[in-house]
Amino acid sequence: MPELLQPVILGEGAPGRRGVVIPEPAVAAPELAEVLPASMLRREAPALPQQSELETVRHYLRLSQLNHAIDKGFYPLGSCTMKYNPKVNEWAARLDGMANIHPYQPESQLQGALEIMHDLQQWLCAITGLERCSLQPAAGAHGELTGILMIKAYHQHRGDARRTRVLVPDSAHGTNPATAAVAGFEVVTVASDGRGLVDLADLKSKLDDRVAALMLTNPNTLGLFEEDILEIQEAVHAAGGLLYYDGANFNAILGTVRPGDMGFDVVHLNLHKTFSTPHGGGGPGSGPVVVGKALEPFLPVPIVVRDASGTYRLESDRPLTIGRVKAFFGNFGMHVRAYAYILAHGAEGLAQVSRDAVLNANYLKANLKEAFEMPHAQPCMHEFVMSGSRQKAKGCNTLLMGKRLIDFGIHPPTIYFPLIVPEAMMIEPTETESKETLDRFVTAMHTIAREVDETPEVVQQAPHTTPIKRVDEVLAARKPVLRWRP
Amino acid sequence: MPELLQPVILGEGAPGRRGVVIPEPAVAAPELAEVLPASMLRREAPALPQQSELETVRHYLRLSQLNHAIDKGFYPLGSCTMKYNPKVNEWAARLDGMANIHPYQPESQLQGALEIMHDLQQWLCAITGLERCSLQPAAGAHGELTGILMIKAYHQHRGDARRTRVLVPDSAHGTNPATAAVAGFEVVTVASDGRGLVDLADLKSKLDDRVAALMLTNPNTLGLFEEDILEIQEAVHAAGGLLYYDGANFNAILGTVRPGDMGFDVVHLNLHKTFSTPHGGGGPGSGPVVVGKALEPFLPVPIVVRDASGTYRLESDRPLTIGRVKAFFGNFGMHVRAYAYILAHGAEGLAQVSRDAVLNANYLKANLKEAFEMPHAQPCMHEFVMSGSRQKAKGCNTLLMGKRLIDFGIHPPTIYFPLIVPEAMMIEPTETESKETLDRFVTAMHTIAREVDETPEVVQQAPHTTPIKRVDEVLAARKPVLRWRP
Amino acid sequence: MTYAYLPHTPADRAAMLDSIGVSSMDALLSHIPKALREVRLDLPRPHAEAEIQQRLARLAARNVSASQQASFVGAGVTHRYRPAAVDQIASRSEFYTAYTPYQPEVSQGTLQAIFEFQSMICELTGMDVANASMYDGSTAVAEAALMAVRVTNRPRVLVCGSVHPEYEAVTRTYAQGPGLVIDSLPTRADATDVAAVKAALTPDTSALIVQVPGVLGTVADLAGLADVVHAAGALLVVVADPIALGVLEAPGRWGADLVVGEAQGLGNAMSLGGPHVGYMACRDAHVRQLPGRICGMSQDAEGRPCFTLTLQTREQHIRREKAASNICTNQALNALFSTIHLALLGPEGLRDVARTSALRAHHLADRLTRLPGCRLAHPESPFLSEFVLTSPVPATQLRDALLARGILAGLPLDTWWPERTHDLLIAVTEMNAPEELEALVAGIAAVVSAQGGQRSQEAVHA
Amino acid sequence: MTYAYLPHTPADRAAMLDSIGVSSMDALLSHIPKALREVRLDLPRPHAEAEIQQRLARLAARNVSASQQASFVGAGVTHRYRPAAVDQIASRSEFYTAYTPYQPEVSQGTLQAIFEFQSMICELTGMDVANASMYDGSTAVAEAALMAVRVTNRPRVLVCGSVHPEYEAVTRTYAQGPGLVIDSLPTRADATDVAAVKAALTPDTSALIVQVPGVLGTVADLAGLADVVHAAGALLVVVADPIALGVLEAPGRWGADLVVGEAQGLGNAMSLGGPHVGYMACRDAHVRQLPGRICGMSQDAEGRPCFTLTLQTREQHIRREKAASNICTNQALNALFSTIHLALLGPEGLRDVARTSALRAHHLADRLTRLPGCRLAHPESPFLSEFVLTSPVPATQLRDALLARGILAGLPLDTWWPERTHDLLIAVTEMNAPEELEALVAGIAAVVSAQGGQRSQEAVHA
Ligand SMILES: Cc1ncc(COP(=O)(O)O)c(C=O)c1O
Ligand SMILES: Cc1ncc(COP(=O)(O)O)c(C=O)c1O
């Protein structure tokens, strides 16, 4: 029977071993049993590992070796903007004066941190073309919730209680409808048309006085710019609704186009995509929201402001605020990184970022369009979606081709999303990849396409080079084993 | 034709790419061509890589994956003391106040650093049982040179010009005779006896007024304690010679036995072995020397002293000093790590270190003595040497068995050293390895011994699991390719 | 201008445009309305890396860090020892530059670490199953409230006064979406008043939320609470400090249905309040209502045990508007920090952290309450390592006076409750060496006696 | 007591002793004379990791770091920008916890990095071959002297006054072993005086050692030097700053036989002077006399190109007393830092570092020499980014006066030469932003004019 590549650490070690020694109390004080009732004290110690520091280090080092990562190779995961995470950002966030500060210190002890947050708020306003920013949300979906709750508060404040619906295109990311639902709205889906863009007619047919907002990603999840955006925004606003901008795809327009100019009322940004903070294997993120005049009164508290004297303060006195969406001020460590990232580029550099991102995506698209089906012929923005249906017909679906890519040292694209393209492969190269890397990817994809024709079993049994072979995801859900037990 | 696993970085990239941006001068100043004669200016730029930060990071990350390392697995490399390198030491050496200080700052700005060096000097005196310490040497061999030059100066100062010889046992490490030779001495080899210890008779026969010193490692490179050490030291001293202690094996006696008590006049310590500073793939090391009264006047300068007022100073005014052996004060970054390591243990903990090191070695020896030839039956200290001659007779020599160990995730032992044991395998587990790890090693060695009997070709073609197969070292020396060329 | 993160040379760009078959970048963007493309951003000029470092170092130096003063502020964020190995290992590129492990074949490292995190959380809380993390403690509480509402189908939530005010605030914000009603049990620091709970539970109440140790440091007795809550058809949600669980009985043993909390103290920097990591654990019966990612065991094609994300039909990317939550990105890396820290500590290390902190806190409380006019605000309640000192000097004044001595003495409670002007919340951890305790005692003594002196002077002159 | 680095429990130890067949540790050590085994060491008690951190942080805080002041001290150790990527990548466990790559099959990472280091050094110096590193610049110079002696079989070495005094001192120490004679050319900062060299060369001279830029920052013209030296049968050894070689002509082009130096400025922290990294490059003809490790290309059993240490018959572990040097451990990790730094810089980045430093230095020199009584000590010699300012105020006094302004103005030359009381060696790098230059000018101006004022006052009162 094959074993786990690395045992689960909880069962490892021997009683009495430890990986770190803790200072003795070294004061005169009663033991715990004397200050707490016996019933409150733990009877059975938790079954944690008992290992030396070395063995613990080895365990996690070995686990790390089992991951793909940006620093190891190409990661063209659509919608995720797997760009390079600059090392100086990591350095900055770990500075003593950044990492070891407490949110309840007096503001006088936090002027450097507050300046960073203040400037970042300003810069994000400039970048989005909007008025006011809160850095509090912890991720994209959290920003969405914040934005939609503000929209709810806006309509409520106007006494407009009928607006119970949020419109969401069928190409939208899952968090959009989920957020609207969590915020107590009914979700109404808007169809895409043959161009892959919002079907204007369908949209208009659904616009009425029950609509609180339209949530839009632009470019959308097909990587296509919603060319009718000005018309869309007029229609939604005319119907009394607001426009929510999902900033997950902001890398496409950074420094080039601004949501505020497109007529959006609120934007969330994913600092962990566009602004290069690391994904960390699933987080942390940071999802600041930036709003226009209409929503400004409803922003969560606190917000950082700058006195006339140049002193930075936390402002909480905002009567119409929706309140807090998170304890403290958001994921400050990510703010520091995004701040450093913006400093490295300036306006000119950020525009170059989006232009190179768009260039890279179009380059890949142009070079793959012979071998794979491209549902949308027009130029894409920072990513594009192609279909594996031609290959599926030959017995190798998108999932299998993705797994096969692993053997070339490349992470599979996002697959089966967006839902409106069959056998979707969503490819986002990002601007930090060189032409050489893109060319290697093109070669790999062509090789796979050829294998589908000539040696489909090679694709069907992929991946071949990983320490574990294809994982049975159905089994995991059918017989859930969700924890180690002693 | 197979290719390099990873291309040599010098040829990579494209003109104009770069991995780091440098600040503009941003001052009014003439260009270089105006301040330096044209002839002095470089005509042709060096052919360095031209890559983005990401591609450079990937290159070296991929290279790193090709290494074995302590943090990946067991590394029983005899004589090298591949113990765990504590992470808090790495943290400490990178503190702004440790890493970013200059040796020519005024002493008033360096009191923390000087205190560390001062205390470390004191502690190393306590640990060795000697009088005075210099932290200047950069490695073990450098400490040896420092010590031997002091011995030379000592005899010269006494007007004793006949002492042109240094005695070195045949089991000694190569740096011992090499050092003596570099220091202008004639090297005379002392034989080992059947016990694996210094042959007393041979030693005595070579002791005369031409002998400047005996260089000894104790325990010696067979891992055996020189039981006659008190007799040896008397004989050498009686002949007017001095005793040099090679501290490479200090891990065997840390906190348990002291060279000063054994009669040694000078010791070098390898902070990169005994005191847990990392080997770094071949350095940096740090080789402090500690001396008794006889050699104290000859120590290199400067040395850190503490004023009556508690201020730390660099003392250079030592008339008989041999001078500097290195610019500045030694490898300070290593001093910081060793300081942290000693703090973590105290006297009691250091004694436990050597006891566990000895325990581990004897445990391995006891469990391997059936399968492999043990030339010396007595208990060993922190390491032991066994012979692969039995297996060699069956077609699998020590080299091959070492390569085969790699397939078990274990680094080969030191092989073919010391020279006096045929097919030597020198095994030093260190104290930081758990019983479970040692047991896995024993199992691996027994498996290999069985393979030698049953499937020798498996051993002969090892390693099987590495990204490159057995390397042709002869070819490298026959047709040297020592650099990349454009 | 050249940028270190952008590899393309002008020649690269030209070749690529050529390959695409367009003449310029502008041509490639021509489908975007031209008016929209004319932006000029008011941002700083591009900075060289050395300049970025210097600027950020300067900004950092304008904050006072916990290593620069003796810090006694806790209240949900604690200055604890982070073993050097935690950051050095978790900072490996393979961990922090990976995405969510949607492709298990190239993500076993992240997946197994999540599985270990879940398992450790279960061990600490005494619960059956835990998720891969929540944004933080506050949103974990809010999501627990929403989950209780889903499970019970009841629209009210009862929040005990021992819950951190910011956690309650976030819960109230989240409640605005579905329009839930949040009821408060009055702020009480002492052992949970079972009778008061019973009285406050309504047939619409989906859950009672309590916190151990409470935000004021006191430890409530959870015995019997679950029975009362369950009898009313509601769930018991316990917000617990995972480090305290090194010595306190696991909430699961007391019958909790949901245990949530903040694990910052385990391996995560304070970082001005984020990124931290929330956790959430429940009973097997409710796992399909649990928000967030869950990692489970499976097998590969050759029968080798391995890990994968599972039960994804709870999640937004599969179920969209019917998902249990909208959460997507969570705090995976922070959970990894906690996991490595717990692995290093083991059961004994964890106990030592809690014990050293608590014993020092009790020593400090004992010393402080001997000072004239100083007393514990809640002497009737047991506490662990955080307590409220009532002093004769207004707490903010006291705190500010001690800053000059390099001591951050605690959190003045009027931050949250304007009427508690003389109460200072003091937290003690293993980072507060005995000398720091001495310094705090001496500092408070000095301020208090100066004030006493001033007062008696005023009395004389009056 | 438990230690985090020692895994054994008492039970482990008992089981192992049992397996060995001895009753106790003492029994295992019984062959050591008992008297020797009775030691008690006067050392600090064992410290918990948090205590170690706090103690070391406190000690670090008692040093003044280069990020806390504007630093203009160079003289062989430079405060240069170290890109964050350098340390983060070189700090991977796989690099720093590996040993010397004696087993090439599990060491290709280290080996290829060494090969790249050697190649980059060759590119910079214009030489044929370089070794894997030396301890530092000083020992590289000393070993170069010994190597020249081996190659030429002559016992004297001529050291130019432009060589760093500590490098010369180390060379003199090394010379004591074989009893070599070190001759000095008088300290001269200006272009090398070919006539003086010619006069000083003797038939016993094995090498002339010169430094570019010289220790005082001046750049000597190497044209024609090699011819003179070679005509005398000696070797030309050039000590070169590798960063300067980003803009200066490669010494190989001037006919150098050996090029050595210190590469600290490339990616290595100043760290109070070590660990740094020396380099050494020579002509193909002399490679078998080169000390230290060398990595070469080879092939594996399947014909794949790969790397291995080679030409080991020069080394102590093979040749023992006949080896070219006794060096074993070198500065591999520091060489890796340099290699990664050079890879990030590329040719243009390296040039930028040298250019920004030099242009700022010239701007500063220009500004300073406009101050009353201030002038360049060596106006006749071109310099790059370091220069000597002669000021009316004694240099140590000047330096000390500026400390209070947060400026470390340079190195007073009486540190080395007691007679040079008014000379301050000032180094400028890309880390000295224009504002720092301004501050230095203002600071020196203030001190100089105060002194001037005082002097005129003294004059009045006299
Ligand atoms: C288009 C889109 N919207 C929203 C999100 C949610 O962002 P987060 O994961 O930060 O919550 C994502 C994340 O993948 C996304 O791609
Ligand atoms: C016994 C012995 N002596 C001396 C040395 C030389 O030490 P270093 O490599 O630090 O110069 C070694 C190193 O392996 C050794 O094992």
Side-chain angles (χ1 to χ4, degrees), chain A residues 20-21 153 173 177 272 288 344 382 442-443:
Chain A
V20 61
V21 174
H173 190 264
H272 47 303
H382 68 305
V442 168
T443 305

Side-chain angles (χ1 to χ4, degrees), chain B residues 389-405:
Chain B
S389 43
R390 220 184 282 164
Q391 285 76 18
K392 183 184 182 183
K394 300 174 188 162
C396 298
N397 66 12
T398 281
L399 177 83
L400 297 172
M401 290 191 286
K403 300 291 183 198
R404 177 64 180 137
L405 252 183

